[in-house]
Amino acid sequence: AFFWLVSLLLSSLIWFIAVKATDPRDEPLQKGLLIFGVMFSVLLQETFRFLYYKLLRKAIEGLVALSEDGCSPISIQQMAYVAGLGFGLMSGAFSMINLLADALGPGTVGIHGDSQLYFLTSAFMTMVLIFLHTFWGILFFHGCEHRRWWEITAVVAMHLAVSGSTFCNPLYVGSLVPSYLLMAAAAAWAYLLSGGSAQNLRRFLLCKS
Amino acid sequence: MITFMNNSDSEEEPCNERTSLMSAESPPVPSYQDGLQASAAGEAQAHRKRRTGSSRSPNNTVDGETSDSDVPVRESTLENEEEEQILKYGAKHVIMLFVPVTLCMIVVVATIKSVRFYTEKNGQLIYTPFSEDTPSVGQRLLNSVLNTIIMISVIVVMTVFLVLLYKYRCYKFIHGWLILSSLMLLFMFTYIYLGEVLKTYNVAMDYPTLFLVIWNFGAVGMICIHWKGPLQLQQAYLIMISALMALVFIKYLPEWSAWVILGAISIYDLIAVLCPKGPLRMLVETAQERNEPIFPALIYSSAMVWTVGMAKPDAAARGASQQTWDAAEDGRENHRSPSHADSHMSETRSPGQTRPITSLEELGEEERGVKLGLGDFIFYSVLVGKAAATASGDWNTTLACFVAILIGLCLTLLLLAVFKKALPALPISITFGLIFYFSTDNLVRPFMDTLASHQLYI
């Protein structure tokens, strides 16, 4: 969570500088700057995820060196899950919390002609992003562990795609549907990478031991 | 009531205590009992000392470790074992401190957001005489710096005074002082707080009920904090009085002064705890020399003091403590819920060779738990509360400060595990908190607002 926060800080710093340096009345330029800001932020988040991976790697090595039987009390997969979850929760919290606070107050959604589904779609979008961050965490760490660069690039590409799809808002079908599809794909992929399989799933669902 | 608050000076000097994490190194001796009973309320009117303590004694942790890991007593002289224990318990301690700090902050933020009283400007403390209503920026800055200087010097004077009293063994005076301040906190501030909360929610309450409630609350609090009580109740009371104190600070400190004071206090904390002649360091060392705990009521302790029945420190003969302890620690499991850990965490440390144990008296054994001074709680909550009160970006800023403070606390505890001596808990957390507050409020907020208005997600 902290790392995500720092990445957000840096990316908003860049955006802020860019905005202050340009003419605020130039609409297309501002929009362009915003798009640039979003993309840059995504890249920065992934960079920080990588840095976090490096930090955790060092921590695991330290734990292994100190433990008596040569294995650390927490595995890299668990750390990947927790890291992804932390990222996701922080990003979700930052996206949603002001919305929720405003939702408590009086008002009408979309009174100025905007979409009436604003709150609903925001909620769904936030949820899908939190899930995605968790899965991306697992995929990313797995890719770093096994030196599979294509996995890492896939994660970055997916993140860019999801963020890019939100540019279609308020045409929600353009952003929510692809995001959910990507989430399903990422979920299946992460599940398989973590050692799951169709058989495990069936056994779990049928409550076999 | 409000004017009273404005005028009362000595009572307004709540928690100037600095907290730093300190090592709960005090072995049990009769003087401990004296100290235990003498331990006054958390709110020293004079000042708060902050000490951070890791409760690890590097040498005599044999019993502690073994009992904690529930293996037979063995001579754990291996460095590795100790290091591993450090890390394992380090993580546990972090969680044990996260929970109370989070709770305190939640209470403060919830109150700030709902009760208008604490965000209205209704005068200032006598310690910050310069007003900030000046037209020019330079003048305002100057006033806030002057306010800070006055406040910090008051804190320094009080700290030194307390250390001198402690050095010259004027225990009665100190205890009386602490009792007085906790009395004031528990009764008067609670009364005001309750009054304001009831006003906000438009709940009618008659005076007899109110007095009954406050009397019970205050009396139980006094007993819990100064004498004996269930650990969790004591912790709850300490959290509540920290929150009350923080609310008072948030209300009565003007804006810029508050931020400058926070910065200055963390610097002071650094100096006071780490310099050889720093007052807090002298206090800690004196307490350790005399094998006394340092005013348990001024410090939040995450572990309980067990009553040890036997003189022998072997695992088999630990009497009551062992039983309760075993019940809780079945199966060598180290991961327990914090509350569970709080009440059952205490392990009897390896007692010294000279334990004048005669009967089943309470020889409080300080065991492995982490101690955090109450002033730390207060200043963390002040930071987060001020962020909640004054930031225009509302919740994002508050959340960012909260995360920053917790990460700072984590780092401090890590350093504690490495250095194993009393450390200041304020500097890292407050620095992170301040950085994140100002940057989130000014940089992140416009970005997030623009994103939200276009419903873009990053």
Side-chain angles (χ1 to χ4, degrees):
Chain A
F2 182 65
F3 274 71
W4 186 88
L5 206 58
V6 176
S7 82
L8 178 68
L9 198 71
L10 290 175
S11 46
S12 46
L13 175 67
I14 304 284
W15 178 82
F16 190 76
I17 293 175
V19 164
K20 286 297 174 205
T22 60
D23 181 12
R25 281 178 300 274
D26 191 357
E27 272 301 323
L29 179 63
Q30 293 299 317
K31 191 95 201 279
L33 273 181
L34 199 61
I35 295 176
F36 161 72
V38 167
M39 294 299 152
F40 186 74
S41 174
V42 166
L43 292 174
L44 214 57
Q45 280 178 45
E46 297 302 326
T47 314
F48 270 83
R49 210 198 290 268
F50 182 68
L51 290 174
Y52 193 52
Y53 164 75
K54 282 262 173 255
L55 184 71
L56 286 181
R57 195 93 203 96
K58 284 221 163 57
I60 279 199
E61 279 163 18
L63 281 177
V64 164
L66 292 173
S67 79
E68 47 194 19
D69 51 356
C71 54
S72 87
I74 182 170
S75 71
I76 190 78
Q77 284 96 346
Q78 286 171 316
M79 283 197 182
Y81 170 68
V82 170
L85 194 62
F87 262 59
L89 283 178
M90 206 56 194
S91 112
F94 260 66
S95 313
M96 258 328 253
I97 208 162
N98 276 334
L99 234 64
L100 288 173
D102 285 336
L104 283 176
T108 311
V109 187
I111 196 170
H112 287 292
D114 300 310
S115 160
Q116 286 181 331
L117 298 172
Y118 186 79
F119 281 153
L120 224 60
T121 48
S122 297
F124 277 115
M125 198 65 209
T126 311
M127 182 175 81
V128 84
L129 255 188
I130 296 178
F131 276 132
L132 275 172
H133 268 292
T134 316
F135 299 136
W136 285 335
I138 300 177
L139 295 172
F140 195 90
F141 277 43
H142 185 264
C144 290
E145 275 291 298
H146 299 268
R147 301 259 176 277
R148 293 198 199 149
W149 307 117
W150 61 275
E151 276 183 19
I152 300 176
T153 43
V155 167
V156 179
M158 267 199 272
H159 196 165
L160 283 172
V162 169
S163 279
S165 72
T166 59
F167 286 118
C168 298
N169 286 341
L171 184 67
Y172 294 121
V173 71
S175 68
L176 280 177
V177 171
S179 307
Y180 272 90
L181 290 174
L182 273 176
M183 182 190 86
W189 193 2
Y191 181 66
L192 290 172
L193 280 183
S194 310
S197 64
Q199 281 165 333
N200 281 350
L201 196 60
R202 206 172 339 136
R203 243 184 285 153
F204 167 72
L205 287 174
L206 298 176
C207 294
K208 292 212 187 92
S209 65
Chain B
M1 204 77 70
I2 296 175
T3 48
F4 175 75
M5 293 273 275
N6 282 343
N7 294 334
S8 65
D9 47 356
S10 60
E11 278 137 349
E12 287 297 343
E13 173 139 26
C15 346
N16 297 349
E17 261 193 348
R18 246 45 75 65
T19 53
S20 48
L21 299 173
M22 53 179 272
S23 32
E25 288 256 340
S26 13
V29 273
S31 62
Y32 170 83
Q33 202 161 9
D34 177 39
L36 180 59
Q37 306 208 335
S39 62
E43 306 297 327
Q45 264 198 337
H47 57 252
R48 295 171 165 284
K49 283 196 253 227
R50 278 172 293 190
R51 286 162 296 217
T52 57
S54 80
S55 48
R56 278 198 63 89
S57 135
N59 299 321
N60 295 336
T61 44
V62 177
D63 291 338
E65 284 171 10
T66 56
S67 54
D68 199 47
S69 52
D70 209 12
V71 295
V73 177
R74 61 186 150 108
E75 293 298 320
S76 57
T77 49
L78 301 164
E79 256 315 293
N80 276 352
E81 285 264 335
E82 238 178 66
E83 294 289 331
E84 181 189 342
Q85 299 290 339
I86 291 178
L87 287 178
K88 273 194 204 155
Y89 294 119
K92 212 189 293 195
H93 294 169
V94 168
I95 303 293
M96 270 162 28
L97 280 186
F98 267 19
V99 173
V101 171
T102 311
L103 277 177
C104 193
M105 288 194 216
I106 287 178
V107 169
V108 170
V109 170
T111 312
I112 293 274
K113 288 287 185 190
S114 52
V115 179
R116 288 270 147 254
F117 171 73
Y118 286 104
T119 38
E120 292 161 8
K121 293 281 325 160
N122 258 332
Q124 293 180 204
L125 292 177
I126 198 171
Y127 305 113
T128 53
F130 295 96
S131 153
E132 280 194 10
D133 280 333
T134 53
S136 77
V137 171
Q139 180 76 2
R140 189 171 184 185
L141 196 61
L142 182 70
N143 280 354
S144 54
V145 170
L146 288 173
N147 278 341
T148 311
I149 292 177
I150 295 178
M151 188 86 167
I152 299 286
S153 36
V154 166
I155 291 176
V156 171
V157 163
M158 291 299 186
T159 314
V160 170
F161 186 46
L162 187 73
V163 172
L164 284 176
L165 284 179
Y166 190 68
K167 247 182 141 55
Y168 294 115
R169 300 180 188 263
C170 310
Y171 292 135
K172 293 238 182 314
F173 191 88
I174 297 180
H175 297 141
W177 195 6
L178 292 176
I179 287 180
L180 204 62
S181 65
S182 60
L183 256 177
M184 187 199 71
L185 257 173
L186 277 173
F187 286 102
M188 198 178 77
F189 284 4
T190 312
Y191 175 65
I192 296 172
Y193 179 75
L194 209 55
E196 291 304 322
V197 169
L198 291 175
K199 257 193 246 173
T200 307
Y201 290 108
N202 215 11
V203 174
M205 185 178 269
D206 52 314
Y207 273 119
T209 314
L210 186 70
F211 285 145
L212 193 70
V213 166
I214 291 195
W215 168 251
N216 279 326
F217 179 80
V220 175
M222 290 299 288
I223 293 176
C224 248
I225 296 173
H226 292 259
W227 192 44
K228 297 181 232 211
L231 179 71
Q232 284 182 326
L233 198 59
Q234 185 190 27
Q235 292 173 337
Y237 267 106
L238 289 175
I239 293 176
M240 277 192 272
I241 56 182
S242 307
L244 282 175
M245 210 54 249
L247 284 170
V248 166
F249 269 137
I250 293 173
K251 180 171 170 65
Y252 287 112
L253 284 180
E255 304 251 344
W256 290 20
S257 305
W259 299 113
V260 183
I261 284 178
L262 277 173
I265 269 207
S266 40
I267 297 176
Y268 168 69
D269 197 25
L270 201 61
I271 299 174
V273 175
L274 292 181
C275 285
K277 277 301 167 192
L280 295 180
R281 182 168 173 157
M282 286 190 348
L283 186 77
V284 170
E285 282 169 1
T286 319
Q288 284 178 352
E289 273 167 39
R290 297 183 194 166
N291 286 334
E292 288 168 1
I294 303 182
F295 301 127
L298 293 178
I299 299 185
Y300 177 93
S301 161
S302 53
M304 203 156 86
V305 172
W306 277 116
T307 68
V308 179
M310 314 295 268
K312 288 249 161 81
D314 37 67
R318 286 257 180 97
S321 61
Q322 182 73 348
Q323 281 158 9
T324 343
W325 201 74
D326 272 341
E329 266 249 297
D330 245 344
R332 284 149 214 251
E333 94 151 23
N334 273 333
H335 305 293
R336 294 171 278 176
S337 69
S339 58
H340 202 57
D342 277 348
S343 46
H344 296 288
M345 172 68 169
S346 39
E347 331 161 305
T348 54
R349 246 207 289 151
S350 132
Q353 293 68 10
T354 60
R355 267 247 303 237
I357 299 165
T358 48
S359 60
L360 289 167
E361 273 283 276
E362 289 153 46
L363 285 186
E365 285 250 25
E366 285 295 317
E367 57 308 292
R368 194 180 307 191
V370 191
K371 292 177 188 267
L372 186 64
L374 284 187
D376 285 333
F377 276 87
I378 291 171
F379 285 109
Y380 291 162
S381 308
V382 166
L383 195 143
V384 176
K386 268 284 184 207
T390 64
S392 36
D394 277 354
W395 291 94
N396 279 346
T397 319
T398 314
L399 197 58
C401 288
F402 170 70
V403 172
I405 288 182
L406 286 185
I407 294 287
L409 190 62
C410 231
L411 281 174
T412 314
L413 284 170
L414 199 68
L415 286 179
L416 189 69
V418 168
F419 287 115
K420 295 198 189 60
K421 58 177 195 158
L423 288 180
L426 276 190
I428 303 180
S429 289
I430 299 274
T431 315
F432 276 3
L434 286 176
I435 293 176
F436 272 83
Y437 170 73
F438 286 111
S439 49
T440 313
D441 199 29
N442 297 322
L443 296 175
V444 176
R445 189 180 43 86
F447 189 44
M448 291 306 284
D449 283 346
T450 325
L451 287 182
S453 64
H454 294 276
Q455 220 172 4
L456 300 176
Y457 282 84
I458 54 169

